[in-house]
Amino acid sequence: MTVCPVGRRRWLAGLAGLAAAAAIPRPASGQAPALLTRPIPSSGELLPVVGLGTWITFNVGNDPVARDACAEVVSAFFEAGGRLIDSSPMYGSSQATIGYALARLGHPERLFSAEKVWTTGAARGEAQLEASRLFWGVPRFDLVQVHNLRDWSQQLPQLFEMKAAGRLRYVGITTSEGRRHADIEQVMNTHPIDFVQLTYNPLDRQIEQRLLPLAQQRGIAVLVNRPFREGALLAGLTRRALPGWAAEIGCDSWAQASLKWIVSHPAVTCAIPATSKVAHLRQNMGAAQGPLPDAALRARIAADFAAG
Amino acid sequence: MFAPRTYWRQFELQNAEWWPVHLLAWAGTVLWIAIGVRMPGRDRGLLIRVAAVGLAALWAFVAFTFMLGRYAPINWAAPGFAVAFGLGAAGLALLAMRPDLGRTSIDHHRLVAALLLAVALAGYPLAAPMSGRPWSQAELFGLAPDPTAVGTLGILIFICANGAVSAWLLRGLRGLAAAWCLVSMATLATMGAGEAWVLGTVLLVVLALFWQSARKRPGRQRRER
């Protein structure tokens, strides 16, 4: 049985009449929808399994219209119960855009800020983090990660010192597109990091072999980047009807299917899809609700993505 | 990295902020061409110096307003591009001071120069609607780096130099303009933008032109005042 095809475009056409007004609403006070959560192993703190990435999508420069649109995305994110927002100095003006959005929204307490240090030298790393903090307008970051392992031997010790001093709460490392997994594994084995950020989706599954099991063994939370391969994962599937399993897990789009597949792995703490559209944001957050696929269904889903 | 829509929005914002500077650049260039066609040979040196000064002003303008003002917030390499355009402005200002410049007498050089100017002044504005973008996002000579570089290449091909210093300065400026075309072509190709083909064609034509000229040395180009 196939579910009626609902690609992103048709889903969005249905929302065309709900185009946002110029005013950016603050997140509604009171209860956010109940989202699936996972604990951060090192502390037990719960995080919703879907967060918000800002690579490319929030790099909008000095465009006031685009910045307001991003602020609407952040507002919708918090309304939907989201917490973790991830950025980096490498992402151009994304940090400034986040800061703009947070200021417009009155700095929601629910925010879990995830940043990165992306430079060489401990002194430069500290200065870069301070500059990032000023962009966000937060007193401190919850999580700071060494971006793409850049100068990790200098940056990690400093981050651990800052954590001990209470200047940040969690320490992590990142890589993307399957690069440097051997180095990542070495750091995971030898340093008490709290988080590791990796690429994982139904087509990029390398980390299942060693890194995800190692993260579980070592008690390291896993953030997942590139859940859609920057859109390439979904591009060939928009005209293809969702198979019958979509109804079993409450999915109405291939994007939600990918996210549910990702977060259904027990080692994954949170996936961080990036978007600049409120409709896509709500679709993504929908993956953090309802049932998740079991191992057998995960295999079927992965096969369908591969066949796409 | 940035999304293509973010990239094209920078031109829309640039055009809106600096309207009608591009009209001045466009009109000035057309007037320069019209005067140059009618001007006696002995007076063309002055016209060439006016062109060099005008181009220097445009390169400085693009460096400051676009590279630093618009592009730098989304591309961390843009401050370096601003420096390159600033150097280009300085080089063009130096060129304007050279006493040994003239108009090339080689017909196909003049033809290529005219074609590049046509691309810069008319082709680029048309590229926006032809690519499905609004007119407001058109890249304009004098406001945007690509048509400014292409138009500059055209004018620099039109110019020739008799002395060694001026010749090297001219080659360096042509190389700088061509280098920008290459950098921008790579960016546009990454975005899958059709304008990458425009710059690729420009570069091929210019390379072919100077390859042919280099093969005909050691004789110098005839200079016509």
Side-chain angles (χ1 to χ4, degrees):
Chain A
M1 181 185 78
T2 58
V3 176
C4 292
V6 182
R8 278 203 190 273
R9 290 182 188 276
R10 295 177 66 169
W11 198 81
L12 292 172
L15 294 179
L18 300 178
I24 300 165
R26 291 191 174 197
S29 57
Q31 293 284 348
L35 300 181
L36 297 169
T37 58
R38 288 266 166 80
I40 300 169
S42 60
S43 67
E45 180 178 359
L46 295 177
L47 281 178
V49 296
V50 177
L52 180 64
T54 59
W55 167 235
I56 296 179
T57 53
F58 273 39
N59 184 18
V60 297
N62 297 327
D63 184 349
V65 172
R67 277 199 302 190
D68 281 344
C70 290
E72 291 184 22
V73 167
V74 175
S75 176
F77 175 69
F78 285 115
E79 274 184 20
R83 290 195 62 201
L84 188 148
I85 300 179
D86 178 84
S87 193
S88 170
M90 197 186 92
Y91 299 173
S93 59
S94 293
Q95 295 175 318
T97 304
I98 292 170
Y100 173 82
L102 292 176
R104 291 289 298 262
L105 298 170
H107 290 277
E109 288 182 10
R110 195 182 303 139
L111 170 70
F112 186 101
S113 53
E115 254 296 345
K116 301 184 185 74
V117 61
W118 182 64
T119 187
T120 52
R124 280 189 190 165
E126 189 168 6
Q128 187 182 70
L129 268 178
E130 177 60 14
S132 298
R133 189 189 68 77
L134 291 173
F135 277 127
W136 283 62
V138 295
R140 65 172 181 176
F141 289 116
D142 293 293
L143 165 62
V144 178
Q145 307 152 98
V146 179
H147 196 162
N148 288 340
L149 289 170
R150 187 172 179 181
D151 200 27
W152 67 267
S153 62
Q154 297 295 315
Q155 304 298 346
L156 264 189
Q158 173 158 268
L159 293 182
F160 286 127
E161 284 180 17
M162 293 175 72
K163 178 183 175 183
R167 295 170 63 191
L168 53 93
R169 298 173 58 218
Y170 300 102
V171 175
I173 55 174
T174 85
T175 188
S176 63
E177 300 186 47
R179 291 189 287 246
R180 303 189 66 182
H181 281 178
D183 293 327
I184 288 277
E185 185 173 345
Q186 180 199 350
V187 175
M188 290 172 71
N189 269 317
T190 56
H191 291 74
I193 56 173
D194 304 291
F195 280 80
V196 62
Q197 186 179 132
L198 305 163
T199 294
Y200 187 49
N201 57 62
L203 297 184
D204 296 308
R205 303 178 60 177
Q206 292 171 284
I207 63 173
E208 286 178 354
Q209 305 308 313
R210 298 176 70 87
L211 296 181
L212 286 182
L214 181 59
Q216 285 180 292
Q217 175 195 332
R218 296 276 295 167
I220 300 172
V222 176
L223 296 184
V224 169
N225 58 42
R226 301 185 76 239
F228 309 137
R229 281 185 172 181
E230 283 113 39
L233 189 76
L234 307 174
L237 295 166
T238 49
R239 289 190 179 83
R240 198 173 146 207
L242 281 168
W245 49 253
E248 295 176 34
I249 54 174
C251 280
D252 60 11
S253 69
W254 285 101
Q256 276 190 355
S258 177
L259 286 171
K260 287 215 174 203
W261 183 92
I262 292 166
V263 302
S264 63
H265 192 290
V268 171
T269 308
C270 178
I272 48 172
T275 182
S276 58
K277 296 179 171 61
V278 171
H280 288 180
L281 183 283
R282 291 185 176 132
Q283 223 179 24
N284 295 340
M285 298 307 290
Q289 295 179 295
L292 294 177
D294 60 15
L297 184 52
R298 291 186 89 242
R300 287 165 58 196
I301 293 172
D304 283 332
F305 269 96
Chain B
M1 279 183 67
F2 40 83
R5 67 176 179 279
T6 299
Y7 179 77
W8 298 118
R9 269 287 289 172
Q10 304 315 306
F11 300 106
E12 186 171 355
L13 295 167
Q14 174 81 341
N15 296 343
E17 183 174 1
W18 292 104
W19 179 275
V21 168
H22 69 288
L23 291 178
L24 297 173
W26 195 92
T29 306
V30 171
L31 188 65
W32 179 81
I33 295 169
I35 293 173
V37 168
R38 289 171 172 75
M39 182 171 277
R42 66 178 182 275
D43 297 326
R44 287 198 180 116
L46 173 64
L47 201 64
I48 287 167
R49 276 190 276 281
V50 167
V53 169
L55 287 175
L58 291 182
W59 276 62
F61 184 81
V62 168
F64 186 74
T65 65
F66 186 82
M67 293 302 185
L68 290 179
R70 292 281 161 214
Y71 208 17
I74 65 169
N75 187 343
W76 44 261
F81 300 154
V83 170
F85 267 70
L87 287 173
L92 286 160
L94 281 174
L95 190 71
M97 298 178 202
R98 300 302 301 168
D100 53 355
L101 302 176
R103 187 188 78 167
T104 182
S105 61
I106 302 175
D107 288 340
H108 59 274
H109 281 213
R110 293 186 203 174
L111 178 62
V112 169
L115 285 173
L116 291 181
L117 278 170
V119 167
L121 297 176
Y124 263 92
L126 289 173
M130 287 173 63
S131 301
R133 299 193 311 277
W135 283 100
S136 57
Q137 292 184 355
E139 296 173 87
L140 302 173
F141 178 73
L143 288 188
D146 290 3
T148 303
V150 171
T152 300
L153 261 177
I155 292 172
L156 292 177
I157 288 171
F158 183 77
I159 297 170
C160 65
N162 202 31
V165 172
S166 297
W168 277 108
L169 186 56
L170 203 53
R171 284 192 202 109
L173 289 168
R174 289 169 182 162
L176 186 63
W180 172 256
C181 291
L182 185 65
V183 167
S184 189
M185 182 184 76
T187 302
L188 293 166
T190 303
M191 294 193 303
E195 285 81 351
W197 290 102
V198 174
L199 289 175
T201 305
V202 164
L203 284 171
L204 279 175
V205 168
V206 170
L207 274 172
L209 193 73
F210 289 109
W211 173 257
Q212 186 201 41
S213 298
R215 288 184 64 194
K216 287 183 176 175
R217 286 189 192 133
R220 288 181 178 173
Q221 283 182 331
R222 285 184 292 121
R223 181 171 66 90
E224 181 179 324
R225 278 195 176 279

